[in-house]
Amino acid sequence: MATPRVMAAVTGSLYCAGGSVVLAAGLDGLPVTPAVVGLLAIGVLSVLTGLACLRWGRLLGRGVYHLLVAAGTVLIAAASLLAEHPATATALAGLMVFVALDSFFYFAGLGAVLQLLGAMAGGTAVLLVRPDVPDAVPVALCLVCVAVAVVVGALVRRASSASQDPLTGLANRRGFDDAVDRLLPLCARTGTPLSAALLDIDHFKAINDTHGHAVGDDLLRLVADRWSPALPAGAVLARHGGDEFSLLLPDSAGPVALAVVEQLRNAVPEVGLSCGVTQLQPGETASQLMRRADRALYQAKAAGRARSVLDDSGPDPLATELAAALAGDPVAAGLQVHYQGIVTLADGAVVGVEALARWAHPTLGPLSPARFIPLAEQTGLIGALGAHVLRTACADLADLHARTGRRLLLTVNVSGHQLCDPDFPDLVGAALAGTGWPAGSTVIEVTENLFEAESPAAVAALDTLREQGLSVAIDDFGTGYSSLARLDTLPADFLKLDHSFVSALTTSSKRARLMRSIMALSDALGLQLIAEGVETPAQADLLRSLGCLYAQGYHFSRPVPIAEVEALLDGAADPVPAVPPVRR
Ligand SMILES: Nc1nc2c(ncn2[C@@H]2O[C@H](COP(=O)(O)OP(=O)(O)OP(=O)(O)O)[C@@H](O)[C@H]2O)c(=O)[nH]1
């Protein structure tokens, strides 16, 4: 049977097609007469109904489609009656074939037959009242409608058997997936609960091995036969595969679903069953729901089998809050951007800033980025968060430039996930264009691991960004496993030396020698080095003596809001405006 999405697409398309035919018939009948106006009105109404159906039809219940199909019959009959020429009337009555198609595609049994009879009666009646149409035409129309209905009905039956498990007669995995796809958006929209469960026969392989597959098959049939009549209304039971059954329970919250599953287990006391139950969480996809059911099933098995486990672990509430903050007003929700100065080691002058996401949570207070950045990565919110940081930072620095005349270098962290989004370069371009901040003063920071993963999409995005005039920095350099020999092939302009490397500088002479070598290497490759995590004057002095030009760290400045960045500029050791590092 067709899903709401398919019914919307088919009904919408057929209404548009039929409406266009009626419009063409109306325009053919010019000059304007009342009949022509009527035809044009029917045509326009049909096309508009079709477009509305294409847009919103998937939200409608099956009952509304009965009305839409019946309305189609009425509109076609009216158009056929209004047509001036017998050939036009016949052609328009021929659109009843659409009704025959819909009836047996969407509905089963009496509902389908009544719709078909209505179409045949309507088409026959309007053609019979016209003396200029031969009597054989309505007969032919009826035959064509019946033929279409029979063929469509047979095809639908065959297609639905593809969704059925032949052994138990239950839905198979495909049928179950179709049911989830149908019910999940409906429950999400109406806010009614939806629960899912996986029920697995314990040690079924041993039953097969000991008593043979025929006994195993009998057991599967027995389970299905006992369960089917015990299910609550609206429940969908499927054989998910092998000895695993899946159950979908609309209108049931997790604890209710758990009780239903326990009843099912009790209905077959001779069979050991492990079950995982879970309730749909807001914003969850079908695969996330079933993954949690699977996790609960695994827990039931791990706890010793022959039991049910309810997985009530919903998504992290902070993720839900982060999603809401990013979708609404991120600033009001406390999402901020702070800036850590990048200085020239020679004089301590601030020449750039790294933009860093901060979350001053309204109730929990300031949250560590280690708490919410990985969460954003896991939940796919990192793109929206990164876009917010980028836009804010560009606007803040453009504003700072307008007020002080100081053009700082802006570095922004970007994850592999963001880079692999094909729209990312356009998003960056829009942020720059929208704020007037120049590409030449912007650096995209990516971690070394990105290149280890050798993601071609990410590397291609970096190439595109560099073509747009931005620079690229390899962040946390020294923590990954990048071969030094590969450094010359990376699309990068800066190396940001990780703080763990910097912190060991003053305690290990080997590190200092290694540092000298890295500087020589990066110099030879045209990469500018920025030392991160400089926390003590000794580290700064050593880096300076080794010839390192740029650094950042608590020794120079902590990350601060934009309002305090100006003070960093004022407090710079050298009153001469600093020149930011540029791409070579
Ligand atoms: N009789 C029969 N056996 C099937 C059918 N489909 C799959 N199987 C068998 O079902 C068994 C499922 O194996 P497992 O998933 O390891 O199940 P189990 O032995 O119950 O293991 P646990 O679930 O961990 O207790 C396999 O031996 C399959 O060959 C079927 O249609 N009929």
Side-chain angles (χ1 to χ4, degrees), residues 300-311:
K301 284 189 181 185
R305 292 184 167 81
R307 71 197 63 214
S308 306
V309 168
L310 172 64
D311 175 293

Side-chain angles (χ1 to χ4, degrees), residues 440-467:
S441 297
T442 312
V443 181
I444 296 295
E445 287 194 24
V446 293
T447 61
E448 219 178 332
N449 311 344
L450 187 81
F451 300 104
E452 280 160 30
E454 290 197 356
S455 161
V459 173
L462 289 178
D463 284 332
T464 308
L465 289 166
R466 292 180 89 218
E467 280 161 22

Side-chain angles (χ1 to χ4, degrees), residues 5-357:
R5 195 181 289 273
V6 172
M7 292 203 291
V10 173
T11 311
S13 307
L14 293 185
Y15 256 93
C16 287
S20 306
V21 171
V22 177
L23 277 176
L27 292 171
D28 196 38
L30 293 174
V32 177
T33 61
V36 166
V37 172
L39 279 176
L40 293 178
I42 291 172
V44 170
L45 180 67
S46 301
V47 170
L48 290 179
T49 307
L51 292 175
C53 203
L54 287 172
R55 178 74 180 81
W56 295 290
R58 69 196 158 79
L59 305 177
L60 302 176
R62 199 168 285 272
V64 181
Y65 280 92
H66 265 295
L67 284 178
L68 280 169
V69 174
T73 299
V74 174
L75 289 171
I76 293 168
S80 177
L81 207 58
L82 288 171
E84 194 182 339
H85 301 292
T88 312
T90 304
L92 292 176
L95 293 174
M96 288 297 183
V97 169
F98 287 178
V99 177
L101 185 156
D102 285 351
S103 306
F104 277 71
F105 188 21
Y106 305 164
F107 317 120
L110 190 62
V113 173
L114 287 178
Q115 288 283 7
L116 177 67
L117 289 177
M120 292 197 309
T124 306
V126 292
L127 293 178
L128 282 181
V129 297
R130 297 188 64 123
D132 49 0
V133 174
D135 289 349
V137 173
V139 176
L141 177 68
C142 287
L143 287 176
V144 171
C145 283
V146 169
V148 167
V150 167
V151 170
V152 170
L155 289 175
V156 166
R157 254 201 318 283
R158 179 181 280 204
S160 63
S161 75
S163 310
Q164 213 175 30
D165 170 40
L167 182 71
T168 59
L170 299 175
N172 60 15
R173 192 186 188 125
R174 180 174 163 182
F176 184 80
D177 290 347
D178 287 348
V180 177
D181 288 347
R182 194 175 66 245
L183 289 170
L184 193 141
L186 205 68
C187 291
R189 185 165 48 86
T190 54
T192 48
L194 175 74
S195 292
L198 288 173
L199 306 94
D200 191 282
I201 300 178
D202 294 331
H203 306 300
F204 186 68
K205 187 173 180 309
I207 296 170
N208 265 339
D209 292 347
T210 316
H211 305 288
H213 267 245
V215 172
D217 285 356
D218 286 345
L219 188 62
L220 293 170
R221 269 192 294 261
L222 171 98
V223 169
D225 290 347
R226 292 252 189 99
W227 284 352
S228 296
L231 292 173
V236 179
L237 177 66
R239 183 167 164 229
H240 217 62
D243 61 342
E244 190 172 281
F245 294 82
S246 49
L247 179 65
L248 202 59
L249 291 163
D251 287 330
S252 299
V256 178
L258 184 67
V260 172
V261 166
E262 280 300 291
Q263 276 170 12
L264 296 183
R265 279 195 343 103
N266 293 334
V268 278
E270 62 271 54
V271 181
L273 281 157
S274 301
C275 312
V277 186
T278 188
Q279 182 185 343
L280 180 73
Q281 305 288 345
E284 208 171 29
T285 62
S287 61
Q288 286 169 331
L289 173 75
M290 295 316 294
R291 245 200 324 272
R292 285 197 302 113
D294 202 32
R295 203 164 60 204
L297 171 62
Y298 179 80
Q299 284 168 7
K301 284 189 181 185
R305 292 184 167 81
R307 71 197 63 214
S308 306
V309 168
L310 172 64
D311 175 293
D312 53 3
S313 68
D316 188 331
L318 203 61
T320 313
E321 280 188 61
L322 184 59
L326 289 165
D329 183 348
V331 178
L335 285 170
Q336 304 165 345
V337 181
H338 284 193
Y339 301 90
Q340 184 172 37
I342 299 171
V343 302
T344 48
L345 273 163
D347 52 18
V350 176
V351 290
V353 283
E354 177 177 355
L356 297 159

Side-chain angles (χ1 to χ4, degrees), residues 512-574:
R513 284 202 296 278
L514 187 57
M515 176 71 196
R516 206 171 269 128
S517 309
I518 290 176
M519 285 180 49
L521 185 78
S522 59
D523 205 39
L525 295 172
L527 293 164
Q528 306 218 42
L529 203 66
I530 302 174
E532 283 187 303
V534 180
E535 294 183 348
T536 65
Q539 288 168 352
D541 289 345
L542 187 58
L543 283 165
R544 199 178 296 118
S545 70
L546 289 170
C548 182
L549 292 182
Y550 304 105
Q552 74 183 82
Y554 288 176
H555 174 59
F556 306 105
S557 99
R558 287 180 173 265
V560 293
I562 190 66
E564 294 172 37
V565 171
E566 214 168 313
L568 293 180
L569 303 181
D570 295 341
D574 191 341

